[in-house]
């Protein structure tokens, strides 16, 4: 029987040890984990085959993400080596200053402690999460989708052996072997032992965790992203950006879902842009004005403006001014990524200042909202909340700070 | 009837306006609010008298915090003027850099949006919260203790008139006029309109909000703080620090509640320290070893180690090593403030690195954990959580960031 409380205690003890390690010790363990994964490829694929056999009735899209191959195991190992090469966020202090009373205060970066991850049946997330949490000095408790259970147990076993071989506590990484809903629920309330929960997966999974958990959650993912083509846009640039943001990878959260276009350019430009999007297989849904200009569009419903399609679909609205575009975005967006295309300086600045979102762009594709593109090396996810972290999260999102205060006997007057 | 949804919408609209204001415009409003409070002292005291009359059966400790006087109204006005003089956190950017794709990214500080405050029957918190949230560009919805309702409504009316006179939206500051529990509960779930909830008050209030709210909460306050007197301590310094931390203001969260003392110095030093504490009226509770050395101590129970007394009581434990002291602290503290007194360099560093708390001290009183002492000017509270903000929170804890990204037509390859 899985005893979550016991797992939590073991994770907390391991986290205390991890918090004291040098970057070199953690990097050594990450490299050993990578080598161990490659060496254990046959066992991992065998466990994965059992999962795949049990999931054979499920759609190909689902089993495709569940399936491991020698190349995918090698990719996981490369991922761990890449994390080893990153800077250790806990080696940095944010600030240091001396107070009026003569105390010297350092705001030091420290690990969060124990991270809980809840995710779908994707074994690669198991390895990814193990690497990122270890590098940032945290222990992790993993609860993946039940269809990947054999794969996850096999991966965890290999990674734990490597941790042990590197002289680190194996309990730094634990997989919940009981896939029941009751245990996931218990995990979401384990406030004494888990410092933060990070759900990774579809909107439904994330919403369920946010609503149920009493452990603090870092929310990631939903993206109803807009592109506003201003009256002063360079229209060739607008076409390139809209097509890239919609078409290059429509299933991801930073893909654009909505197009707002200024009435002054709609009549002449929308037919050209629509044709280009349709040529790329995009189904267009328009408001009345857009449909009047491009009759091949389907009329959009009220629901469309709040929907993240994650698909080759785009809804189009004609607006009378930038102010209307900004108000529409602030009313319907998921606070993820928004772009204006304009050659007008004031229009760009107004958009940057008034749109409420994690990432606001002038003249660039929303697809750049990404930890790698931002230069963070690794990405934990993209936060759409306002507390703790907002936008693409690098390793430092898995840390907090501690004030270390050095005195000489000061007492308060 | 109070319509919270309508209040939330109005607050959100006001917050959008506030987020675009210059510091000068906000400061002008703060100064007008201060002047208006002073001018309206008679009306405010009249409303307060009604609250006091209804609360006459309540304990003096309670009514003392409820009671307003001309001097206390003047203090509130001074507080607003002090906030006007502080730096505006939203005028700063945290970072700026150019990416590989040539995008220029600025991580700009921006207001959180709408802040909800839930607090006890202390009218000064109404004005304090109004000032801090306005300065940081946020709208605020206030739900104070029902015994202060007339006072809060009178204060809000004066402050709203001043906001209006300064050309700002009066809905930047709203008081919930219905003191029912049901409405407080509704407020804790108003995720569409309130960006963060800050409970201020006793441990019970804070726990209740943390457990019920689905709106993100910034947790403040509980402090089971320890002082560890190491074998290498300067004992005169230790006495000064322990007495200061325990006695100077025992009711506050950064007062020390527990004393750990190394066995090597306990026999000779504990009687001296105990006598000094007892001379200041402190009731001591000891573990077996401490009671054996100082028989006038009461034996401590298991519960004592987890209790925040907020009173002239201190529990004392004799430990065999610093490692034992650190393990005890990490098992029982509330992650607030912890001090070691030592002359040993390695002992001090070990304590700073291994104790898990917002503020960890060497050779200083825990009483310095305070926004003013840290040099933050204002203090929203002291966070004992790990996400978003940890330790004393200045105005920047009421902000988040937004990535503003300037491009030249970049699309993702």
């Amino acid at each position: 029987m899985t005893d979550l409380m016991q797992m939590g205690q073991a994770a907390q003890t391991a986290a205390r040890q991890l918090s004291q390690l040098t970057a070199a010790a953690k990097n050594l363990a990450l490299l050993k984990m990578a080598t161990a994964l490659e060496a254990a490829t046959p066992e991992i694929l065998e466990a994965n085959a059992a999962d795949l056999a049990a999931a054979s009735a499920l759609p190909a899209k689902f089993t495709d993400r569940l399936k491991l191959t020698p190349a995918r195991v090698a990719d996981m190992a490369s991922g761990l080596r890449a994390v080893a090469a990153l800077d250790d966020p806990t080696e940095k202090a944010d600030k240091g200053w001396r107070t009026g009373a003569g105390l010297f205060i350092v705001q030091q970066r420290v690990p969060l402690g124990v991270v809980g991850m809840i995710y779908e049946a994707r074994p690669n997330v198991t390895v990814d999460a193990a690497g990122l949490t270890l590098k940032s000095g945290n222990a992790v408790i993993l609860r993946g989708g039940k269809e990947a259970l054999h794969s996850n147990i096999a991966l965890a076993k290999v990674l734990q052996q490597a941790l042990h071989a590197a002289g680190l506590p194996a309990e730094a990484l634990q997989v919940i072997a009981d896939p029941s809903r009751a245990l996931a629920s218990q995990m979401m309330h384990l406030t004494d032992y888990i410092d933060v929960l990070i759900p990774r997966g579809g909107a439904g999974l994330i919403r369920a965790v946010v609503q149920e958990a009493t452990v603090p959650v870092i929310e990631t993912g939903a993206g109803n992203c807009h592109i506003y083509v201003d009256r002063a846009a360079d229209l060739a640039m607008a076409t390139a950006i809209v097509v890239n943001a919609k078409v290059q990878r429509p299933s991801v959260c930073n893909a654009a879902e909505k197009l707002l276009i200024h009435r002054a350019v709609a009549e002449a430009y929308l037919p050209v842009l629509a044709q280009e999007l349709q040529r790329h297989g995009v189904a267009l849904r328009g408001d009345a004005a857009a449909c009047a200009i491009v009759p091949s569009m389907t009329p959009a419903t009220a629901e469309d403006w709040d929907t993240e399609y994650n698909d080759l679909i785009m809804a189009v609205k004609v607006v009378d001014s930038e102010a209307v575009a900004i108000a529409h975005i602030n009313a319907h967006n998921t606070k993820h990524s928004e772009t204006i295309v304009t050659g007008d300086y004031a229009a760009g600045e107004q958009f940057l200042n008034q749109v409420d979102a994690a990432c606001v762009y002038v003249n660039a594709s929303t697809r750049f909202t990404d930890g790698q593109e931002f230069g963070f090396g690794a990405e934990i996810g993209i936060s759409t909340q306002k507390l703790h972290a907002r936008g693409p999260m690098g390793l430092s999102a898995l840390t907090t700070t501690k004030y270390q205060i050095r005195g000489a006997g000061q007492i308060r007057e």
Side-chain angles (χ1 to χ4, degrees), chain A:
Chain A
M1 207 193 82
T2 301
D3 183 339
L4 253 193
M5 206 120 105
Q6 206 175 339
M7 286 178 73
Q9 283 167 350
Q12 199 171 64
T13 303
R16 296 251 155 84
Q17 291 178 253
L18 295 183
S19 74
Q20 303 300 309
L21 295 178
T22 61
K26 290 183 284 188
N27 292 341
L28 181 69
L30 287 164
L31 299 179
K32 277 191 192 290
M33 285 158 71
T35 308
L37 276 186
E38 287 171 336
T41 302
E43 298 95 287
I44 293 167
L45 295 185
E46 196 185 318
N48 185 246
D51 283 334
L52 285 169
S56 58
L58 295 169
K61 194 174 165 183
F62 183 93
T63 52
D64 184 51
R65 299 191 305 182
L66 174 57
K67 187 183 171 72
L68 293 177
T69 62
R72 286 185 174 180
V73 175
D75 279 351
M76 292 173 171
S78 306
L80 291 172
R81 292 189 181 107
V83 170
L86 293 174
D87 285 345
D88 179 345
T90 68
E91 287 192 317
K92 298 197 177 72
D94 284 9
K95 285 178 203 163
W97 72 98
R98 197 168 289 278
T99 72
L103 298 170
F104 183 64
I105 303 183
V106 171
Q107 187 177 23
Q108 175 65 40
R109 284 265 145 214
V110 296
L112 283 168
V114 179
V115 175
M117 300 271 306
I118 296 185
Y119 52 105
E120 292 163 345
R122 302 181 65 169
N124 63 310
V125 175
T126 304
V127 178
D128 194 30
L132 296 169
T133 51
L134 174 60
K135 179 77 190 209
S136 49
N138 296 286
V140 68
I141 296 178
L142 298 163
R143 200 278 186 188
K146 62 179 187 296
E147 301 83 355
L149 191 61
H150 294 98
S151 309
N152 287 339
I153 290 174
L155 288 166
K157 189 178 157 197
V158 173
L159 297 174
Q160 286 179 327
Q161 285 168 347
L163 282 165
H164 184 75
L168 269 55
E171 297 76 15
L173 163 69
Q174 298 178 82
V175 162
I176 298 182
D178 172 351
S180 70
R181 183 75 193 72
L183 222 67
S185 172
Q186 202 188 326
M187 180 183 182
M188 292 186 223
H189 294 90
L190 209 66
T191 47
D192 282 349
Y193 300 109
I194 300 182
D195 292 289
V196 61
L197 262 185
I198 306 179
R200 275 175 74 159
L205 172 81
I206 291 168
R207 202 164 35 241
V209 173
V210 168
Q211 277 167 5
E212 178 167 353
T214 48
V215 174
V217 175
I218 298 184
E219 201 174 339
T220 60
N224 182 24
C225 305
H226 298 72
I227 297 179
Y228 164 57
V229 177
D230 187 45
R231 65 185 300 162
D234 173 329
L235 298 176
M237 184 194 286
T239 303
I241 288 174
V242 173
V243 170
N244 180 257
K246 179 69 256 179
V247 168
Q248 197 223 9
R249 207 172 157 202
S251 65
V252 295
C253 62
N254 61 16
E257 305 288 13
K258 303 292 166 340
L259 170 68
L260 307 178
I261 184 164
H262 195 287
R263 193 174 299 277
V265 292
E267 186 82 41
Y269 173 59
L270 191 50
V272 181
L273 179 57
Q275 195 176 20
E276 188 63 14
L277 286 166
Q278 286 165 340
R279 198 174 67 77
H280 282 90
V282 179
L284 295 174
R285 302 180 185 176
D287 71 349
C291 288
I293 298 170
V294 181
S296 61
M297 287 188 195
T298 315
T301 64
E303 234 175 290
D304 274 296
W305 309 114
D306 295 307
T307 302
E308 182 182 6
Y309 306 117
N310 287 330
D311 204 348
L312 284 174
I313 304 170
M314 187 167 228
V316 184
K317 189 179 184 70
V318 176
V319 296
D320 286 325
S321 67
E322 180 181 11
V324 171
I326 292 173
H328 178 89
I329 291 171
N330 284 339
H332 297 282
N333 75 348
T334 52
K335 317 292 178 214
H336 193 297
S337 299
E338 313 297 340
T339 285
I340 183 176
V341 185
T342 190
D344 182 293
Y345 177 80
E349 292 300 303
Q350 186 180 341
F351 197 83
L352 288 174
N353 290 323
Q354 295 185 6
V355 170
D356 184 16
C359 301
V360 187
Y361 293 84
V362 177
N363 295 341
S365 170
T366 53
R367 290 275 295 113
F368 284 103
T369 299
D370 174 275
Q372 298 287 348
E373 290 292 336
F374 271 50
F376 296 165
E379 179 180 284
I380 317 299
I382 296 170
S383 163
T384 51
Q385 64 185 26
K386 290 183 175 180
L387 295 188
H388 187 63
R390 197 177 193 202
M393 295 185 290
L395 279 173
S396 72
L398 291 177
T399 66
T400 179
T401 61
K402 166 162 84 174
Y403 288 113
Q404 296 180 325
I405 303 139
R406 291 170 172 89
Q410 282 90 343
I411 60 172
R412 186 134 170 219
E413 301 303 327

